[in-house]
Amino acid sequence: MNCMICNAPLNASDHCPKCGCKVTAQKKAWALSGLYYNQGLEKAQVRDLSGAITCLKRSLKMNKLNIQARNLLGLVYFETGEVVAALSQWVISKNMMPQNNVAIGYIEKLQKDGNRLEEINNSIKKYNQCLEYCRSGNIDMAKLQLKKVLASNPKLIKGYHLLSLIYIHEEEYEKARRQLKAAAKIDKSNTTTLRFLREVEEQTGRRTNLEPRFGMREKVREGKDGSLIYKSGNDVVIQPPEFREKTITNTLINLILGLVVGAAALWFLVVPAITQNVNEAANEKVVDYSNQMATQAAELERLQEQMNASQESVDTAQSQIEAAQQQTTDYENLLKSWDEYQQGNFTNAANAIAEVNSDNLSVEGKSIYDTIMNQVGDTLKQQYRNEGINYINAGDYDSAIESLQKAVNIGTQDRRSMYYLAQAYAGKGDVENAAAWYQKVVDNYPGTQNALDAQDYIDAHSDEISSADSEDDTQNEGDSSSTAGNEDAVQGTTEE
């Protein structure tokens, strides 16, 4: 454990041995982080993935540098089908500890299996399309699409939830029960799974057993005297045979009496009761349908909110991955430029350093970047200037402006780069910017041929430049008209 102030190793003392800062709270927080990590690990081992996610998030809240907790959280997310969330955790872990980190292996394994990663991404897109189908009332298309999603990504718990909700809506409760049991095998404590199962149990009147069945039903056999022999627990039960009439006359009489009594009971008792039950069942169905529609509308709204949250997570993870990839590319180009610089290949070093965005570098990286630029800046500046001149000759003024702007920004501004940049703006028809750069040439390099040519351009387009300046002054006066005192001051400066 290191001090979070000076990063020095801590000992058994309550104060840092280097900076003297009190580290009691830090030690307690890191101890709680380890405790929550152990709880999350135990829950993950028994397939309590929802509980594991909660514990691991608490662990990272206490200590965001807990690499083991972050890697395990990524594995749990991956096990529930949330590949984007898993990648986010692994990328953060890799940036925190770039050496000897198992998260690097997880990321490389996913990147190597490009087909599988693309299949998972397509399954998430198809799941979002299923939500759109549900909102538009196209239930059949949503159901077919969800089956394909679960076939390609069988760990996506949200897919099982949405498919079971569709089955509940269509009153196919047994199919919904099968989907929810499949989801429970992935995460047995998921609250959405348990809530949907309770709805199915209320509609069917039959409980759902999520535990595996180990026991076998005892076989029943018949004895020689007609008795039934079976085992109940550890006891053997022998049921004696029933007494049966052997004469045909008694059997016929009993049969006729039974038919007469049954017909009378059916006429006087059963028929009115059936009619009443049918009416009551119809009324209950109407009430149930109303309640189900209200419940399903609320559930669809909740799923919409989850979809929006999932999309935000996808966008955040994608931006983080792109930023990490761009930073990696910048460092690779920086190292390549440094190697070429060490070997004396200044042109190759300049080409490599041109691809580096210094804003993505650390302090040490920027120091190396500045060292290389001090040596190869002139080469890179000349390279950009030559590119701009070639673009001007080809009539591609936008590309010429981009290259010459880079040349001007490297080191001190030189006369040729500014002059050709003004020519690019002039070729594009941007008189205002062209005149501004020509004026810089006139001011900084008076008496040169470039300055004389620049002055000729300014004089030839003086009317257009004056018109543009007048429009700018009018705009500035309009923006400052809200304060009378400021307006007088601006007008006074203009008159001078």
Side-chain angles (χ1 to χ4, degrees):
M1 181 185 302
N2 296 332
C3 177
M4 62 183 178
I5 303 299
C6 63
N7 202 31
L10 300 179
N11 51 25
S13 175
D14 292 338
H15 294 80
C16 176
K18 182 177 180 181
C19 65
C21 178
K22 191 173 183 179
V23 294
T24 305
Q26 179 184 349
K27 288 184 177 181
K28 289 183 179 179
W30 285 31
L32 282 175
S33 177
L35 176 62
Y36 285 130
Y37 166 73
N38 292 332
Q39 292 179 354
L41 180 60
E42 292 177 356
K43 292 181 180 293
Q45 289 173 345
V46 296
R47 305 297 299 183
D48 185 3
L49 301 186
S50 298
I53 290 173
T54 302
C55 292
L56 292 174
K57 284 184 177 179
R58 291 177 181 175
S59 176
L60 292 176
K61 186 175 182 181
M62 292 297 174
N63 179 13
K64 67 178 182 179
L65 300 178
N66 193 337
I67 301 300
Q68 290 181 333
R70 194 173 296 279
N71 291 340
L72 180 58
L73 181 58
L75 287 175
V76 174
Y77 276 136
F78 186 83
E79 189 64 20
T80 58
E82 300 289 342
V83 180
V84 175
L87 275 175
S88 300
Q89 297 299 327
W90 292 336
V91 169
I92 295 172
S93 174
K94 177 184 176 181
N95 291 331
M96 288 182 175
M97 191 175 76
Q99 298 294 334
N100 298 326
N101 191 345
V102 295
I104 300 175
Y106 299 153
I107 297 174
E108 291 178 353
K109 187 175 181 180
L110 273 179
Q111 290 177 346
K112 288 181 181 178
D113 193 358
N115 294 331
R116 178 58 181 164
L117 186 59
E118 183 179 0
E119 186 177 2
I120 293 174
N121 289 332
N122 291 333
S123 67
I124 295 175
K125 294 179 182 179
K126 290 179 181 179
Y127 170 78
N128 294 332
Q129 184 64 42
C130 291
L131 291 177
E132 294 294 335
Y133 285 148
C134 291
R135 284 195 295 271
S136 61
N138 197 350
I139 304 299
D140 293 335
M141 286 296 298
K143 187 162 53 176
L144 292 175
Q145 192 80 302
L146 277 173
K147 291 179 180 178
K148 296 180 181 179
V149 169
L150 294 176
S152 60
N153 190 1
K155 294 183 179 181
L156 187 60
I157 294 182
K158 293 181 180 179
Y160 290 108
H161 290 167
L162 184 57
L163 184 57
S164 63
L165 186 62
I166 293 174
Y167 283 139
I168 293 174
H169 176 71
E170 296 178 347
E171 296 186 4
E172 296 182 0
Y173 298 112
E174 293 304 323
K175 293 183 178 180
R177 193 195 306 272
R178 286 196 295 270
Q179 299 301 323
L180 294 172
K181 290 177 71 174
K185 291 180 181 179
I186 301 173
D187 184 5
K188 69 177 184 179
S189 65
N190 189 279
T191 55
T192 303
T193 302
L194 298 178
R195 185 168 67 253
F196 286 2
L197 275 175
R198 184 175 61 185
E199 177 70 18
V200 172
E201 291 172 355
E202 290 178 356
Q203 296 297 329
T204 59
R206 185 168 66 88
R207 295 184 59 84
T208 303
N209 184 17
L210 298 178
E211 298 296 332
R213 298 179 179 178
F214 297 103
M216 298 294 293
R217 188 175 60 181
E218 295 292 341
K219 295 183 178 180
V220 179
R221 58 189 179 88
E222 186 176 355
K224 295 181 179 180
D225 56 351
S227 61
L228 298 177
I229 302 173
Y230 60 93
K231 189 175 182 180
S232 177
N234 294 327
D235 300 328
V236 177
V237 179
I238 301 176
Q239 182 177 347
E242 297 180 358
F243 176 75
R244 296 185 178 91
E245 293 286 347
K246 300 298 183 180
T247 61
I248 298 176
T249 303
N250 291 334
T251 301
L252 291 175
I253 293 174
N254 291 333
L255 180 60
I256 294 171
L257 289 176
L259 291 173
V260 172
V261 172
L266 178 66
W267 179 258
F268 293 104
L269 300 176
V270 178
V271 172
I274 291 175
T275 303
Q276 184 179 0
N277 290 336
V278 169
N279 294 332
E280 292 178 355
N283 294 332
E284 291 178 357
K285 282 290 184 182
V286 172
V287 175
D288 290 340
Y289 287 150
S290 300
N291 294 334
Q292 289 176 12
M293 291 298 294
T295 302
Q296 291 167 1
E299 186 61 29
L300 286 175
E301 183 178 358
R302 188 187 64 79
L303 290 174
Q304 174 64 30
E305 295 176 355
Q306 290 183 355
M307 184 193 71
N308 294 335
S310 299
Q311 187 62 39
E312 292 177 0
S313 299
V314 170
D315 295 339
T316 302
Q318 186 64 31
S319 62
Q320 290 176 351
I321 292 173
E322 291 176 356
Q325 292 176 347
Q326 182 61 41
Q327 187 177 26
T328 302
T329 303
D330 290 335
Y331 274 108
E332 290 177 353
N333 290 327
L334 181 63
L335 292 175
K336 180 180 179 181
S337 176
W338 179 254
D339 291 338
E340 297 293 342
Y341 169 73
Q342 292 291 332
Q343 297 174 10
N345 300 326
F346 292 155
T347 301
N348 295 337
N351 293 333
I353 202 69
E355 303 297 329
V356 177
N357 184 2
S358 61
D359 294 336
N360 294 332
L361 302 179
S362 63
V363 176
E364 294 79 3
K366 287 184 178 179
S367 177
I368 298 174
Y369 177 86
D370 294 337
T371 301
I372 299 174
M373 285 297 294
N374 289 334
Q375 298 296 326
V376 304
D378 294 338
T379 302
L380 187 59
K381 186 182 189 73
Q382 182 177 1
Q383 178 180 341
Y384 281 134
R385 186 170 59 234
N386 293 335
E387 286 181 0
I389 294 173
N390 292 332
Y391 283 133
I392 291 175
N393 294 332
D396 188 357
Y397 297 109
D398 290 330
S399 300
I401 291 172
E402 182 179 356
S403 297
L404 290 169
Q405 192 69 53
K406 292 179 181 178
V408 169
N409 292 333
I410 296 176
T412 59
Q413 295 182 350
D414 63 296
R415 172 171 53 88
R416 294 188 64 197
S417 299
M418 291 192 295
Y419 181 78
Y420 285 115
L421 180 57
Q423 278 194 339
Y425 277 118
K428 186 180 178 181
D430 190 346
V431 178
E432 184 177 358
N433 284 322
W437 285 104
Y438 276 135
Q439 188 63 46
K440 290 183 179 180
V441 174
V442 173
D443 294 339
N444 294 316
Y445 304 96
T448 62
Q449 185 62 41
N450 293 138
L452 295 176
D453 294 340
Q455 188 62 50
D456 291 340
Y457 179 87
I458 294 173
D459 294 338
H461 296 81
S462 59
D463 295 337
E464 300 180 33
I465 298 171
S466 300
S467 177
D469 293 339
S470 299
E471 292 179 359
D472 293 339
D473 293 339
T474 304
Q475 181 66 31
N476 293 332
E477 291 176 3
D479 293 339
S480 61
S481 62
S482 59
T483 306
N486 292 337
E487 181 180 5
D488 294 338
V490 171
Q491 290 176 355
T493 302
T494 305
E495 291 172 1
E496 292 177 0

